[in-house]
Amino acid sequence: MFSVLSYGRLVARAVLGGLSQTDTRAGGGGSGGGGDYGLVTAGCGFGKDFRKGLLKKGACYGDDACFVARHRSADVLGVADGVGGWRDYGVDPSQFSGTLMRTCERLVKEGRFVPSNPIGILTTSYCELLQNKVPLLGSSTACIVVLDRSSHRLHTANLGDSGFLVVRGGEVVHRSDEQQHYFNTPFQLSIAPPEAEGVVLSDSPDAADSTSFDVQLGDIILTATDGLFDNMPDYMILQELKKLKNSNYESIQQTARSIAEQAHELAYDPNYMSPFAQFACDNGLNVRGGKPDDITVLLSIVAEYTD
C-alpha cells in the first residue's frame, strides 16, 4: 500500500484502490493578511514492505513518521526515520519515530515553541519521551522545518540523514547538511534500556544542524527521509519539481506522489547507481543498485497565508 497525506485548505477525499488521503487542515488562527506567509503542503510515502501490502496507520510509512502542524505564528513540519536495527531486539522501530513526531506536533499545536528555535521543539519532545511512564525504546533521525509567518524566515533543525531542500527558479538555493558518524550511521536520538546506556549510539538534540533562511513566495520546500535522498540525486528531484507550476493543492499532491513513486521504483533497481551506492563506493565498498527503504516526502510551496 502507499499513502498520500494532504495538508491545505481543501478537504481530502478518500480514493478507492488502496490510495488514502487524510485532511489535517489544522485551521490556522491568527488574522492572516499583513504580508504573512504560509505553507501549502502535501505528503506521500511508501513503507519498505509495500510489496507485502503492509501500511501502518497514521502518518507513518514503515519506520518513517512525519507531521504537519499549524499555529498562528508559524507552519511547522517534520520527518523522522526510525532505526531499523532495533527490530533485532524485539523493538518496533516505528514506535520511537512515530511518538517523537506526534509529540512535536502536539507541542506546536499547543504553542509551546519558538519559531526561531526548532531545536527547542526536538529537545522538549525528546525529553518528554525520556520521561514517558510507559518505557519507550528506539532511535530515530529527525528533521524539523519551521516557517515564521511574519518574518518570512525558514528555521530548520536536522539531526542525521533526513533533510530538506529549498528550490527557487529550478535551482537548489538552500539545503540541510547530512550528519553521519561514519558510513550509513547517521546522528540519531535514542532511548536505550539501562543496561545498554553508553553502548547504544545516542546524540543530543543540540547536535542538530540548525539554519535560518529568508524565503520568497513560490519557493518550493522538499522535506524527506533518507529513503528519497539515497535513491534520487538532486537533478532527478528537480526534473520532477518542474512539473509543479503553481501552489494549487492538488498539483503539489500529484508532484509529491510522483517523486515518491520514482524513488520507490529506483530503490529496487539492481542496476541503478544510486546516490547511496555511489557513497558506498566512495567508502571502499563494491555496491550497486538502489537502496530499499521507507520513503517519506513532504512537499511545500510558500504562499500568502490566509486564515
Side-chain angles (χ1 to χ4, degrees):
M1 303 291 289
F2 104 86
S3 175
V4 171
L5 293 179
S6 307
Y7 308 92
R9 304 189 66 225
L10 300 182
V11 177
R13 298 180 302 275
V15 179
L16 297 178
L19 172 63
S20 64
Q21 302 181 73
T22 305
D23 173 30
T24 61
R25 288 186 292 175
S31 59
D36 286 357
Y37 286 2
L39 296 177
V40 183
T41 299
C44 180
F46 287 90
K48 186 164 57 176
D49 292 323
F50 166 73
R51 295 188 176 188
K52 299 178 183 178
L54 300 177
L55 176 66
K56 295 181 181 295
K57 294 182 178 180
C60 292
Y61 307 106
D63 299 334
D64 285 359
C66 64
F67 80 94
V68 175
R70 211 173 236 197
H71 186 262
R72 62 176 177 272
S73 63
D75 282 347
V76 186
L77 56 87
V79 297
D81 178 8
V83 176
W86 282 95
R87 193 169 281 106
D88 296 336
Y89 302 93
V91 175
D92 180 356
S94 70
Q95 291 298 311
F96 187 92
S97 56
T99 304
L100 180 67
M101 291 293 94
R102 287 192 296 271
T103 305
C104 288
E105 179 179 14
R106 176 174 53 78
L107 292 174
V108 172
K109 290 182 176 180
E110 293 174 353
R112 295 170 55 194
F113 74 105
V114 177
S116 61
N117 183 24
I119 287 181
I121 300 174
L122 265 185
T123 300
T124 304
S125 298
Y126 180 55
C127 287
E128 285 201 14
L129 266 59
L130 288 171
Q131 297 166 6
N132 200 328
K133 294 181 180 179
V134 179
L136 178 69
L137 303 178
S139 305
S140 175
T141 66
C143 181
I144 304 294
V145 175
V146 182
L147 174 62
D148 187 315
R149 291 195 205 291
S150 60
S151 71
H152 305 164
R153 287 183 70 79
L154 193 74
H155 304 284
T156 66
N158 185 60
L159 186 79
D161 57 2
S162 295
F164 68 89
L165 302 175
V166 180
V167 177
R168 180 183 301 160
E171 297 182 355
V172 177
V173 294
H174 184 52
R175 71 183 309 147
S176 56
D177 288 328
E178 186 175 295
Q179 295 179 310
Q180 297 269 3
H181 287 286
Y182 43 88
F183 174 68
N184 206 28
T185 307
F187 282 35
Q188 54 200 262
L189 302 176
S190 300
I191 298 179
E195 63 272 18
E197 289 182 1
V199 178
V200 173
L201 185 64
S202 182
D203 297 286
S204 166
D206 290 334
D209 180 58
S210 182
T211 70
S212 294
F213 183 76
D214 290 325
V215 296
Q216 299 177 9
L217 290 175
D219 281 356
I220 301 170
I221 303 167
L222 183 147
T223 309
T225 54
D226 65 324
L228 173 69
F229 299 117
D230 281 345
N231 288 296
M232 286 184 72
D234 284 1
Y235 80 89
M236 285 189 182
I237 295 174
L238 292 174
Q239 284 177 347
E240 290 299 312
L241 291 178
K242 288 180 181 178
K243 302 174 183 178
L244 188 57
K245 301 300 182 182
N246 54 54
S247 60
N248 178 277
Y249 164 80
E250 292 182 351
S251 177
I252 299 171
Q253 174 186 291
Q254 183 177 3
T255 304
R257 178 172 57 192
S258 177
I259 291 172
E261 285 178 338
Q262 184 169 346
H264 183 72
E265 291 177 2
L266 291 170
Y268 290 92
D269 184 345
N271 299 312
Y272 168 60
M273 181 55 76
S274 64
F276 178 82
Q278 185 60 59
F279 186 33
C281 291
D282 292 343
N283 281 269
L285 302 175
N286 185 17
V287 175
R288 191 172 184 86
K291 183 193 177 190
D293 201 356
D294 305 318
I295 297 168
T296 298
V297 175
L298 296 179
L299 185 60
S300 310
I301 287 189
V302 179
E304 293 182 350
Y305 174 68
T306 55
D307 195 356

